[in-house]
mmCIF file of all heavy atoms in Angstrom:
data_model
loop_
_atom_site.group_PDB
_atom_site.id
_atom_site.type_symbol
_atom_site.label_atom_id
_atom_site.label_comp_id
_atom_site.label_asym_id
_atom_site.label_seq_id
_atom_site.Cartn_x
_atom_site.Cartn_y
_atom_site.Cartn_z
ATOM 1 N N GLY L 8 -7.953 13.848 16.165
ATOM 2 C CA GLY L 8 -7.576 15.002 15.383
ATOM 3 C C GLY L 8 -8.411 15.467 14.247
ATOM 4 O O GLY L 8 -8.251 16.531 13.762
ATOM 5 N N GLY L 9 -9.387 14.604 14.016
ATOM 6 C CA GLY L 9 -10.251 15.018 12.760
ATOM 7 C C GLY L 9 -11.262 16.000 13.254
ATOM 8 O O GLY L 9 -11.497 16.337 14.435
ATOM 9 N N GLY L 10 -11.905 16.562 12.271
ATOM 10 C CA GLY L 10 -12.905 17.644 12.554
ATOM 11 C C GLY L 10 -13.162 18.620 11.367
ATOM 12 O O GLY L 10 -12.788 18.243 10.278
ATOM 13 N N LEU L 11 -13.699 19.748 11.686
ATOM 14 C CA LEU L 11 -14.064 20.712 10.707
ATOM 15 C C LEU L 11 -13.045 21.730 10.683
ATOM 16 O O LEU L 11 -12.651 22.283 11.718
ATOM 17 C CB LEU L 11 -15.403 21.326 11.007
ATOM 18 C CG LEU L 11 -15.914 22.498 10.054
ATOM 19 C CD1 LEU L 11 -16.063 21.968 8.678
ATOM 20 C CD2 LEU L 11 -17.203 22.978 10.582
ATOM 21 N N VAL L 12 -12.490 22.150 9.426
ATOM 22 C CA VAL L 12 -11.572 23.190 9.344
ATOM 23 C C VAL L 12 -11.877 24.036 8.088
ATOM 24 O O VAL L 12 -12.497 23.547 7.139
ATOM 25 C CB VAL L 12 -10.080 22.668 9.290
ATOM 26 C CG1 VAL L 12 -9.935 21.717 7.999
ATOM 27 C CG2 VAL L 12 -8.998 23.714 9.311
ATOM 28 N N GLN L 13 -11.556 25.364 8.137
ATOM 29 C CA GLN L 13 -11.776 26.172 6.974
ATOM 30 C C GLN L 13 -10.714 25.971 5.782
ATOM 31 O O GLN L 13 -9.607 25.506 6.155
ATOM 32 C CB GLN L 13 -11.731 27.612 7.391
ATOM 33 C CG GLN L 13 -12.828 28.003 8.361
ATOM 34 C CD GLN L 13 -12.856 29.562 8.654
ATOM 35 O OE1 GLN L 13 -13.197 30.417 7.842
ATOM 36 N NE2 GLN L 13 -12.412 29.870 9.825
ATOM 37 N N PRO L 14 -11.032 26.230 4.554
ATOM 38 C CA PRO L 14 -10.166 26.059 3.599
ATOM 39 C C PRO L 14 -8.959 26.940 3.816
ATOM 40 O O PRO L 14 -9.026 28.117 4.348
ATOM 41 C CB PRO L 14 -10.882 26.680 2.354
ATOM 42 C CG PRO L 14 -12.338 26.383 2.554
ATOM 43 C CD PRO L 14 -12.485 26.653 4.131
ATOM 44 N N GLY L 15 -7.721 26.450 3.486
ATOM 45 C CA GLY L 15 -6.499 27.075 3.874
ATOM 46 C C GLY L 15 -6.018 26.942 5.335
ATOM 47 O O GLY L 15 -4.785 27.352 5.608
ATOM 48 N N GLY L 16 -6.809 26.258 6.044
ATOM 49 C CA GLY L 16 -6.395 25.916 7.436
ATOM 50 C C GLY L 16 -5.571 24.710 7.623
ATOM 51 O O GLY L 16 -5.209 24.073 6.675
ATOM 52 N N SER L 17 -5.363 24.324 8.867
ATOM 53 C CA SER L 17 -4.404 23.152 9.184
ATOM 54 C C SER L 17 -5.072 22.270 10.053
ATOM 55 O O SER L 17 -5.881 22.701 10.914
ATOM 56 C CB SER L 17 -3.115 23.609 9.724
ATOM 57 O OG SER L 17 -2.372 24.482 8.811
ATOM 58 N N LEU L 18 -4.721 21.016 10.146
ATOM 59 C CA LEU L 18 -5.163 19.934 10.943
ATOM 60 C C LEU L 18 -4.002 18.953 11.210
ATOM 61 O O LEU L 18 -3.299 18.655 10.276
ATOM 62 C CB LEU L 18 -6.321 19.276 10.297
ATOM 63 C CG LEU L 18 -7.468 18.691 11.343
ATOM 64 C CD1 LEU L 18 -8.073 19.717 12.205
ATOM 65 C CD2 LEU L 18 -8.574 18.052 10.431
ATOM 66 N N ARG L 19 -4.096 18.439 12.409
ATOM 67 C CA ARG L 19 -3.034 17.409 12.734
ATOM 68 C C ARG L 19 -3.777 16.181 13.252
ATOM 69 O O ARG L 19 -4.414 16.179 14.217
ATOM 70 C CB ARG L 19 -2.063 18.009 13.724
ATOM 71 C CG ARG L 19 -0.944 16.995 14.252
ATOM 72 C CD ARG L 19 0.007 17.649 15.129
ATOM 73 N NE ARG L 19 1.045 16.922 15.531
ATOM 74 C CZ ARG L 19 1.111 16.272 16.785
ATOM 75 N NH1 ARG L 19 0.249 16.456 17.704
ATOM 76 N NH2 ARG L 19 2.227 15.520 17.134
ATOM 77 N N LEU L 20 -3.611 15.054 12.483
ATOM 78 C CA LEU L 20 -4.186 13.766 12.885
ATOM 79 C C LEU L 20 -3.097 12.935 13.619
ATOM 80 O O LEU L 20 -1.912 12.998 13.331
ATOM 81 C CB LEU L 20 -4.610 13.008 11.639
ATOM 82 C CG LEU L 20 -5.594 13.699 10.740
ATOM 83 C CD1 LEU L 20 -6.016 12.758 9.504
ATOM 84 C CD2 LEU L 20 -6.770 14.122 11.453
ATOM 85 N N SER L 21 -3.559 12.106 14.589
ATOM 86 C CA SER L 21 -2.780 11.301 15.333
ATOM 87 C C SER L 21 -3.257 9.910 15.342
ATOM 88 O O SER L 21 -4.530 9.721 15.272
ATOM 89 C CB SER L 21 -2.658 11.764 16.815
ATOM 90 O OG SER L 21 -2.017 12.996 16.848
ATOM 91 N N CYS L 22 -2.424 8.869 15.322
ATOM 92 C CA CYS L 22 -2.830 7.465 15.525
ATOM 93 C C CYS L 22 -1.878 6.765 16.234
ATOM 94 O O CYS L 22 -0.677 6.631 15.928
ATOM 95 C CB CYS L 22 -2.953 6.935 14.000
ATOM 96 S SG CYS L 22 -3.243 5.066 13.972
ATOM 97 N N ALA L 23 -2.315 6.104 17.348
ATOM 98 C CA ALA L 23 -1.510 5.342 18.204
ATOM 99 C C ALA L 23 -1.790 3.821 18.146
ATOM 100 O O ALA L 23 -3.109 3.452 18.217
ATOM 101 C CB ALA L 23 -1.558 5.799 19.692
ATOM 102 N N ALA L 24 -0.932 3.032 17.869
ATOM 103 C CA ALA L 24 -1.025 1.597 17.872
ATOM 104 C C ALA L 24 -0.737 1.002 19.305
ATOM 105 O O ALA L 24 0.300 1.324 19.869
ATOM 106 C CB ALA L 24 -0.142 0.846 16.874
ATOM 107 N N SER L 25 -1.609 0.126 19.641
ATOM 108 C CA SER L 25 -1.467 -0.377 21.048
ATOM 109 C C SER L 25 -1.739 -1.952 21.028
ATOM 110 O O SER L 25 -2.316 -2.461 20.111
ATOM 111 C CB SER L 25 -2.378 0.282 22.130
ATOM 112 O OG SER L 25 -3.743 0.101 21.740
ATOM 113 N N GLY L 26 -1.220 -2.641 22.138
ATOM 114 C CA GLY L 26 -1.522 -4.024 22.237
ATOM 115 C C GLY L 26 -0.170 -4.795 22.117
ATOM 116 O O GLY L 26 0.885 -4.162 22.469
ATOM 117 N N SER L 27 -0.221 -6.091 21.770
ATOM 118 C CA SER L 27 0.977 -6.804 21.810
ATOM 119 C C SER L 27 1.628 -6.674 20.420
ATOM 120 O O SER L 27 1.420 -7.388 19.513
ATOM 121 C CB SER L 27 0.605 -8.344 22.077
ATOM 122 O OG SER L 27 0.064 -8.601 23.356
ATOM 123 N N ILE L 28 2.542 -5.831 20.438
ATOM 124 C CA ILE L 28 3.203 -5.494 19.269
ATOM 125 C C ILE L 28 4.759 -5.709 19.318
ATOM 126 O O ILE L 28 5.434 -5.203 20.242
ATOM 127 C CB ILE L 28 3.119 -3.999 18.790
ATOM 128 C CG1 ILE L 28 1.552 -3.720 18.680
ATOM 129 C CG2 ILE L 28 3.846 -3.624 17.545
ATOM 130 C CD1 ILE L 28 1.224 -2.185 18.490
ATOM 131 N N PHE L 29 5.344 -6.580 18.465
ATOM 132 C CA PHE L 29 6.760 -6.798 18.400
ATOM 133 C C PHE L 29 7.483 -5.828 17.528
ATOM 134 O O PHE L 29 8.612 -5.404 17.960
ATOM 135 C CB PHE L 29 6.999 -8.308 17.952
ATOM 136 C CG PHE L 29 6.611 -9.315 18.939
ATOM 137 C CD1 PHE L 29 5.335 -9.946 18.895
ATOM 138 C CD2 PHE L 29 7.589 -9.781 19.792
ATOM 139 C CE1 PHE L 29 5.025 -10.814 19.825
ATOM 140 C CE2 PHE L 29 7.243 -10.776 20.742
ATOM 141 C CZ PHE L 29 5.909 -11.332 20.729
ATOM 142 N N SER L 30 6.954 -5.434 16.498
ATOM 143 C CA SER L 30 7.613 -4.495 15.668
ATOM 144 C C SER L 30 6.565 -3.898 14.634
ATOM 145 O O SER L 30 5.665 -4.691 14.216
ATOM 146 C CB SER L 30 8.793 -5.109 14.807
ATOM 147 O OG SER L 30 8.358 -6.146 13.948
ATOM 148 N N ILE L 31 6.846 -2.680 14.126
ATOM 149 C CA ILE L 31 6.061 -2.098 13.132
ATOM 150 C C ILE L 31 6.847 -1.854 11.864
ATOM 151 O O ILE L 31 7.817 -1.166 11.891
ATOM 152 C CB ILE L 31 5.535 -0.747 13.676
ATOM 153 C CG1 ILE L 31 4.591 -0.918 14.899
ATOM 154 C CG2 ILE L 31 4.683 -0.040 12.547
ATOM 155 C CD1 ILE L 31 4.115 0.360 15.447
ATOM 156 N N THR L 32 6.371 -2.458 10.800
ATOM 157 C CA THR L 32 7.050 -2.300 9.473
ATOM 158 C C THR L 32 6.716 -0.949 8.857
ATOM 159 O O THR L 32 7.557 -0.314 8.350
ATOM 160 C CB THR L 32 6.626 -3.408 8.604
ATOM 161 O OG1 THR L 32 6.924 -4.731 9.109
ATOM 162 C CG2 THR L 32 7.382 -3.262 7.240
ATOM 163 N N ALA L 33 5.498 -0.514 9.019
ATOM 164 C CA ALA L 33 5.009 0.755 8.328
ATOM 165 C C ALA L 33 3.755 1.201 8.948
ATOM 166 O O ALA L 33 2.970 0.392 9.375
ATOM 167 C CB ALA L 33 4.945 0.590 6.848
ATOM 168 N N MET L 34 3.571 2.530 8.850
ATOM 169 C CA MET L 34 2.324 3.067 9.342
ATOM 170 C C MET L 34 1.880 4.173 8.292
ATOM 171 O O MET L 34 2.836 4.723 7.575
ATOM 172 C CB MET L 34 2.314 3.751 10.617
ATOM 173 C CG MET L 34 2.631 2.793 11.797
ATOM 174 S SD MET L 34 2.532 3.452 13.501
ATOM 175 C CE MET L 34 0.687 3.634 13.675
ATOM 176 N N GLY L 35 0.599 4.440 8.081
ATOM 177 C CA GLY L 35 0.266 5.517 7.230
ATOM 178 C C GLY L 35 -1.179 5.828 7.304
ATOM 179 O O GLY L 35 -1.832 5.500 8.183
ATOM 180 N N TRP L 36 -1.475 6.703 6.429
ATOM 181 C CA TRP L 36 -2.880 7.332 6.338
ATOM 182 C C TRP L 36 -3.435 7.074 4.914
ATOM 183 O O TRP L 36 -2.778 7.296 3.929
ATOM 184 C CB TRP L 36 -2.848 8.834 6.711
ATOM 185 C CG TRP L 36 -2.467 9.163 8.161
ATOM 186 C CD1 TRP L 36 -1.211 9.254 8.569
ATOM 187 C CD2 TRP L 36 -3.348 9.114 9.196
ATOM 188 N NE1 TRP L 36 -1.337 9.538 10.023
ATOM 189 C CE2 TRP L 36 -2.554 9.424 10.333
ATOM 190 C CE3 TRP L 36 -4.806 8.868 9.377
ATOM 191 C CZ2 TRP L 36 -3.172 9.638 11.635
ATOM 192 C CZ3 TRP L 36 -5.302 9.087 10.606
ATOM 193 C CH2 TRP L 36 -4.535 9.369 11.755
ATOM 194 N N TYR L 37 -4.778 6.696 4.876
ATOM 195 C CA TYR L 37 -5.479 6.684 3.739
ATOM 196 C C TYR L 37 -6.736 7.451 3.944
ATOM 197 O O TYR L 37 -7.253 7.862 5.008
ATOM 198 C CB TYR L 37 -5.920 5.150 3.512
ATOM 199 C CG TYR L 37 -4.786 4.232 3.142
ATOM 200 C CD1 TYR L 37 -3.785 3.882 4.118
ATOM 201 C CD2 TYR L 37 -4.558 3.760 1.844
ATOM 202 C CE1 TYR L 37 -2.750 3.031 3.769
ATOM 203 C CE2 TYR L 37 -3.489 2.967 1.528
ATOM 204 C CZ TYR L 37 -2.583 2.558 2.631
ATOM 205 O OH TYR L 37 -1.612 1.686 2.240
ATOM 206 N N ARG L 38 -7.448 7.783 2.809
ATOM 207 C CA ARG L 38 -8.632 8.596 2.864
ATOM 208 C C ARG L 38 -9.682 8.044 1.903
ATOM 209 O O ARG L 38 -9.305 7.473 0.781
ATOM 210 C CB ARG L 38 -8.409 10.006 2.709
ATOM 211 C CG ARG L 38 -8.012 10.429 1.363
ATOM 212 C CD ARG L 38 -7.699 11.978 1.360
ATOM 213 N NE ARG L 38 -7.282 12.433 0.059
ATOM 214 C CZ ARG L 38 -6.879 13.718 -0.159
ATOM 215 N NH1 ARG L 38 -6.792 14.585 0.780
ATOM 216 N NH2 ARG L 38 -6.499 14.054 -1.425
ATOM 217 N N GLN L 39 -10.923 8.277 2.098
ATOM 218 C CA GLN L 39 -12.030 7.826 1.239
ATOM 219 C C GLN L 39 -13.051 8.963 1.262
ATOM 220 O O GLN L 39 -13.687 9.101 2.245
ATOM 221 C CB GLN L 39 -12.571 6.515 1.591
ATOM 222 C CG GLN L 39 -13.560 5.967 0.569
ATOM 223 C CD GLN L 39 -13.882 4.490 0.718
ATOM 224 O OE1 GLN L 39 -13.707 3.938 1.790
ATOM 225 N NE2 GLN L 39 -14.346 3.836 -0.359
ATOM 226 N N ALA L 40 -13.336 9.477 0.100
ATOM 227 C CA ALA L 40 -14.425 10.453 -0.068
ATOM 228 C C ALA L 40 -15.608 9.736 -0.654
ATOM 229 O O ALA L 40 -15.561 8.732 -1.326
ATOM 230 C CB ALA L 40 -13.931 11.606 -0.917
ATOM 231 N N PRO L 41 -16.787 10.366 -0.418
ATOM 232 C CA PRO L 41 -18.033 9.776 -0.956
ATOM 233 C C PRO L 41 -17.956 9.502 -2.444
ATOM 234 O O PRO L 41 -17.607 10.429 -3.154
ATOM 235 C CB PRO L 41 -19.113 10.768 -0.614
ATOM 236 C CG PRO L 41 -18.533 11.437 0.624
ATOM 237 C CD PRO L 41 -17.177 11.589 0.438
ATOM 238 N N GLY L 42 -18.279 8.329 -2.921
ATOM 239 C CA GLY L 42 -18.265 8.047 -4.246
ATOM 240 C C GLY L 42 -16.896 7.762 -4.861
ATOM 241 O O GLY L 42 -16.804 7.582 -6.138
ATOM 242 N N LYS L 43 -15.903 7.726 -4.107
ATOM 243 C CA LYS L 43 -14.531 7.555 -4.623
ATOM 244 C C LYS L 43 -13.891 6.316 -3.795
ATOM 245 O O LYS L 43 -14.268 5.867 -2.729
ATOM 246 C CB LYS L 43 -13.600 8.745 -4.340
ATOM 247 C CG LYS L 43 -14.122 9.975 -5.255
ATOM 248 C CD LYS L 43 -13.114 11.190 -4.957
ATOM 249 C CE LYS L 43 -13.512 12.307 -5.864
ATOM 250 N NZ LYS L 43 -12.547 13.406 -5.666
ATOM 251 N N GLN L 44 -12.802 5.798 -4.493
ATOM 252 C CA GLN L 44 -12.035 4.797 -3.982
ATOM 253 C C GLN L 44 -11.152 5.223 -2.796
ATOM 254 O O GLN L 44 -10.751 6.376 -2.797
ATOM 255 C CB GLN L 44 -11.370 3.943 -4.946
ATOM 256 C CG GLN L 44 -12.083 3.308 -6.059
ATOM 257 C CD GLN L 44 -11.255 2.523 -7.068
ATOM 258 O OE1 GLN L 44 -10.102 2.105 -6.659
ATOM 259 N NE2 GLN L 44 -11.757 2.371 -8.268
ATOM 260 N N ARG L 45 -10.938 4.323 -1.857
ATOM 261 C CA ARG L 45 -9.900 4.658 -0.855
ATOM 262 C C ARG L 45 -8.559 4.890 -1.540
ATOM 263 O O ARG L 45 -8.119 3.955 -2.331
ATOM 264 C CB ARG L 45 -9.929 3.566 0.286
ATOM 265 C CG ARG L 45 -8.960 3.844 1.346
ATOM 266 C CD ARG L 45 -9.059 2.869 2.504
ATOM 267 N NE ARG L 45 -10.400 2.677 3.050
ATOM 268 C CZ ARG L 45 -10.847 1.985 4.058
ATOM 269 N NH1 ARG L 45 -9.888 1.136 4.726
ATOM 270 N NH2 ARG L 45 -12.059 1.995 4.474
ATOM 271 N N GLU L 46 -7.824 5.916 -1.082
ATOM 272 C CA GLU L 46 -6.468 6.125 -1.669
ATOM 273 C C GLU L 46 -5.521 6.384 -0.598
ATOM 274 O O GLU L 46 -5.813 6.849 0.624
ATOM 275 C CB GLU L 46 -6.636 7.436 -2.630
ATOM 276 C CG GLU L 46 -7.018 8.735 -1.867
ATOM 277 C CD GLU L 46 -6.968 9.924 -2.823
ATOM 278 O OE1 GLU L 46 -6.665 9.789 -3.917
ATOM 279 O OE2 GLU L 46 -7.420 10.811 -2.305
ATOM 280 N N LEU L 47 -4.266 6.172 -0.941
ATOM 281 C CA LEU L 47 -3.147 6.371 -0.059
ATOM 282 C C LEU L 47 -2.864 7.896 0.081
ATOM 283 O O LEU L 47 -2.935 8.571 -0.954
ATOM 284 C CB LEU L 47 -1.896 5.764 -0.561
ATOM 285 C CG LEU L 47 -0.594 5.980 0.153
ATOM 286 C CD1 LEU L 47 -0.515 5.514 1.529
ATOM 287 C CD2 LEU L 47 0.638 5.559 -0.690
ATOM 288 N N VAL L 48 -2.683 8.428 1.277
ATOM 289 C CA VAL L 48 -2.391 9.779 1.545
ATOM 290 C C VAL L 48 -0.765 9.852 1.863
ATOM 291 O O VAL L 48 -0.105 10.583 1.116
ATOM 292 C CB VAL L 48 -3.138 10.362 2.641
ATOM 293 C CG1 VAL L 48 -2.617 11.808 2.914
ATOM 294 C CG2 VAL L 48 -4.547 10.393 2.462
ATOM 295 N N ALA L 49 -0.302 9.080 2.696
ATOM 296 C CA ALA L 49 1.067 9.173 3.125
ATOM 297 C C ALA L 49 1.423 7.837 3.957
ATOM 298 O O ALA L 49 0.573 7.358 4.681
ATOM 299 C CB ALA L 49 1.384 10.443 3.960
ATOM 300 N N THR L 50 2.686 7.533 3.861
ATOM 301 C CA THR L 50 3.169 6.388 4.646
ATOM 302 C C THR L 50 4.523 6.679 5.117
ATOM 303 O O THR L 50 5.280 7.493 4.351
ATOM 304 C CB THR L 50 3.129 4.958 3.908
ATOM 305 O OG1 THR L 50 4.015 5.178 2.746
ATOM 306 C CG2 THR L 50 1.747 4.586 3.380
ATOM 307 N N VAL L 51 4.919 5.969 6.213
ATOM 308 C CA VAL L 51 6.299 6.060 6.610
ATOM 309 C C VAL L 51 6.743 4.636 7.091
ATOM 310 O O VAL L 51 5.942 3.954 7.787
ATOM 311 C CB VAL L 51 6.403 7.141 7.887
ATOM 312 C CG1 VAL L 51 5.448 6.736 9.037
ATOM 313 C CG2 VAL L 51 7.877 7.156 8.327
ATOM 314 N N ILE L 52 7.886 4.110 6.692
ATOM 315 C CA ILE L 52 8.311 2.856 6.989
ATOM 316 C C ILE L 52 9.194 2.897 8.242
ATOM 317 O O ILE L 52 9.701 3.861 8.684
ATOM 318 C CB ILE L 52 8.968 2.153 5.828
ATOM 319 C CG1 ILE L 52 10.251 2.944 5.308
ATOM 320 C CG2 ILE L 52 8.077 2.059 4.581
ATOM 321 C CD1 ILE L 52 11.094 2.223 4.382
ATOM 322 N N SER L 53 9.630 1.670 8.686
ATOM 323 C CA SER L 53 10.422 1.603 9.876
ATOM 324 C C SER L 53 11.800 2.324 9.784
ATOM 325 O O SER L 53 12.261 2.818 10.743
ATOM 326 C CB SER L 53 10.669 0.176 10.258
ATOM 327 O OG SER L 53 11.319 -0.514 9.220
ATOM 328 N N GLY L 54 12.314 2.281 8.542
ATOM 329 C CA GLY L 54 13.582 3.039 8.280
ATOM 330 C C GLY L 54 13.522 4.547 8.275
ATOM 331 O O GLY L 54 14.501 5.206 8.280
#
């Protein structure tokens, strides 16, 4: 879902976990811009 978009536009990112998974506690998105630390964008927990 990543790519180039104009200011004011929209984008939808997707992430699928696969493999031998018993349960997922939480999933989320982080981002890192050049010269900056990686930061939390959003998370969702199992509940």
Side-chain angles (χ1 to χ4, degrees):
L11 175 65
V12 65
Q13 296 185 72
S17 299
L18 206 60
R19 182 173 179 256
L20 305 182
S21 300
C22 174
S25 62
S27 299
I28 300 171
F29 286 90
S30 63
I31 298 177
T32 302
M34 297 187 75
W36 293 92
Y37 294 72
R38 68 184 182 186
Q39 187 167 22
K43 295 185 178 181
Q44 297 183 27
R45 186 174 299 187
E46 64 176 353
L47 171 71
V48 178
T50 59
V51 57
I52 64 174
S53 60

